Amino acid sequence: STSKYPSPSCRLGFPKLSGREGAGGEGTQGVRETVLLFADGLRFDLAHRLVERLGAANRYDLAWRFGPLPGVTPTAKPAVSPIAEHLFPGPGFDAALQPGGPRLTAEGMRKAMIAAGWQVLAGNETGDPTGRAWTEAGSIDSYGHAQGWKLARHVEGEIATIARRVEELLAAGWARVVVLTDHGWLLLPDGLPKAELPEHLTVIRKGRCARLTPDARTDEPVVPWHWDPAVRVVVARGIACYEAGKEYEHGGISPQECVLPVLTVSAMASPARAAIAGVVWRGLRCVVTVDGGAPGMTVDLRTRAADPGASIAAAAKAVGDGGTASLVVEDEEREGEAAHVVVLGPDGSVVAQTTTTVGG
């Protein structure tokens, strides 16, 4: 029985999705036409910058919640996933798929989400927008741990990467993309101050937190572990760190680490409507038939549906009176590659798309 462990989503207090079930954890079983996009380490201030990057072409709902404790990825990422209510305490700071089981791996989490009816989208995959999906984008946390203060050099590029992924998914027909994260972080170029914590008091230790042994006594602040409140977790005071030389770290209880964004992005309704009725290849020439097209619509062939710079056609072509357009791929080395046929409205927005293989 899981009754010993309260529902993770209840403890997190997930906001509602415009009249639908909550994002992540409990209540996501009925969510349709929604992608949960996980961005590790997307701090709340960066979520605001993401909204600015996405611009006025979309609708936004930027909410907040308190993150799971401690805010380290093995604990917090499973807690914001759509299978959170099916997980159990594992070893260290990890969740597990069954009581007393081994730690939840990335592959185990992927398989569990698929078994629960979620599409797991890798890379530029866009999936079936009538269903529900999980995907991941960005490397903010990886850069922070690997490069310390130099993370500042990568932030804008990472926000751009996440924004492109959101736009790509909306262009593919998803009604909404909910951007989630697991924790924020602290960054200090000269290094976070060192705090002392005797090794024998801990089972596992991270930079800003540690799991205490059952009989440990300490004057440091202690919080319950997200997956099992009976387990005590000690957290460093202020911006201190239990490991020396750390410029980037998380797992403590500062607002920068614990107040997390939940950003729901929905595409503006487009007056243009069309459907791709057929795609026929004759060598490297592609003839596209469009139903319901309107004046000013064009057809393009791209490796990334939402990115005009990813076109591989010699030129985008207007939809003719007969509802057809003919595209040519000049680069013979593209033959056999996957691509997206996209129909564009007069404003350049993607109003229909389908996948194809260059050359048929």
Side-chain angles (χ1 to χ4, degrees):
S1 170
T2 62
S3 60
K4 179 180 177 182
Y5 310 107
S7 167
S9 60
C10 292
R11 292 194 305 249
L12 291 180
F14 285 101
K16 297 296 182 181
L17 289 180
S18 302
R20 293 172 181 258
E21 291 82 354
E26 186 182 54
T28 55
Q29 298 307 309
V31 173
R32 295 289 174 180
E33 303 176 352
T34 299
V35 181
L36 304 183
L37 189 160
F38 175 79
D40 198 347
L42 183 72
R43 208 167 67 171
F44 197 87
D45 55 337
L46 299 190
H48 277 279
R49 292 164 75 171
L50 176 59
V51 170
E52 293 173 0
R53 181 81 186 202
L54 287 164
N58 306 287
R59 293 192 301 269
Y60 307 97
D61 178 14
L62 180 55
W64 67 273
R65 60 174 173 79
F66 289 119
L69 295 177
V72 292
T73 300
T75 285
K77 182 178 179 180
V80 302
S81 78
I83 59 167
E85 61 183 332
H86 303 297
L87 300 178
F88 299 86
F93 282 132
D94 291 272
L97 285 171
Q98 51 201 337
R103 72 179 185 88
L104 178 67
T105 64
E107 179 63 14
M109 183 170 163
R110 186 187 73 85
K111 289 181 177 179
M113 285 192 285
I114 292 173
W118 289 80
Q119 303 169 60
V120 179
L121 309 179
N124 294 325
E125 294 176 349
T126 53
D128 175 8
T130 65
R132 56 190 184 179
W134 168 276
T135 192
E136 302 182 24
S139 302
I140 296 169
D141 190 53
S142 296
Y143 278 124
H145 285 298
Q147 300 189 27
W149 70 266
K150 294 179 183 177
L151 166 64
R153 296 175 174 174
H154 299 282
V155 163
E156 289 303 324
E158 290 304 295
I159 291 172
T161 295
I162 297 168
R164 282 195 299 269
R165 184 60 169 148
V166 170
E167 291 167 343
E168 181 177 59
L169 292 164
L170 292 174
W174 290 93
R176 67 193 60 79
V177 178
V178 181
V179 184
L180 303 170
T181 193
D182 50 353
H183 57 75
W185 36 269
L186 299 177
L187 184 68
L188 191 64
D190 291 332
L192 297 166
K194 176 73 163 57
E196 298 301 327
L197 181 68
E199 192 76 29
H200 70 274
L201 297 179
T202 64
V203 174
I204 183 172
R205 164 190 310 243
K206 298 285 187 179
R208 292 264 295 150
C209 61
R211 178 171 173 167
L212 292 171
T213 60
D215 57 348
R217 295 182 179 275
T218 178
D219 292 329
E220 290 286 281
V222 174
V223 299
W225 184 35
H226 174 83
W227 292 106
D228 183 354
V231 172
R232 297 179 303 146
V233 176
V234 61
V235 291
R237 298 179 187 276
I239 62 169
C241 191
Y242 293 131
E243 298 177 7
K246 294 282 188 175
E247 296 179 334
Y248 169 96
E249 199 50 84
H250 52 86
I253 55 174
S254 70
Q256 290 86 350
E257 296 163 280
C258 291
V259 179
L260 307 184
V262 180
L263 173 62
T264 302
V265 188
S266 305
M268 292 290 192
S270 172
R273 291 288 183 269
I276 298 173
V279 177
V280 178
W281 285 92
R282 298 185 179 94
L284 292 180
R285 180 178 295 276
C286 175
V287 178
V288 182
T289 302
V290 179
D291 283 344
M297 283 188 174
T298 57
V299 177
D300 199 2
L301 190 66
R302 301 172 175 178
T303 55
R304 294 185 299 276
D307 184 1
S311 176
I312 58 174
K317 293 297 182 68
V319 178
D321 292 339
T324 63
S326 179
L327 302 171
V328 176
V329 178
E330 294 181 335
D331 186 353
E332 296 181 356
E333 294 185 0
R334 295 281 188 180
E335 187 169 5
E337 287 187 10
H340 300 276
V341 178
V342 293
V343 180
L344 307 172
D347 61 353
S349 62
V350 177
V351 298
Q353 73 164 0
T354 189
T355 55
T356 188
T357 301
V358 176

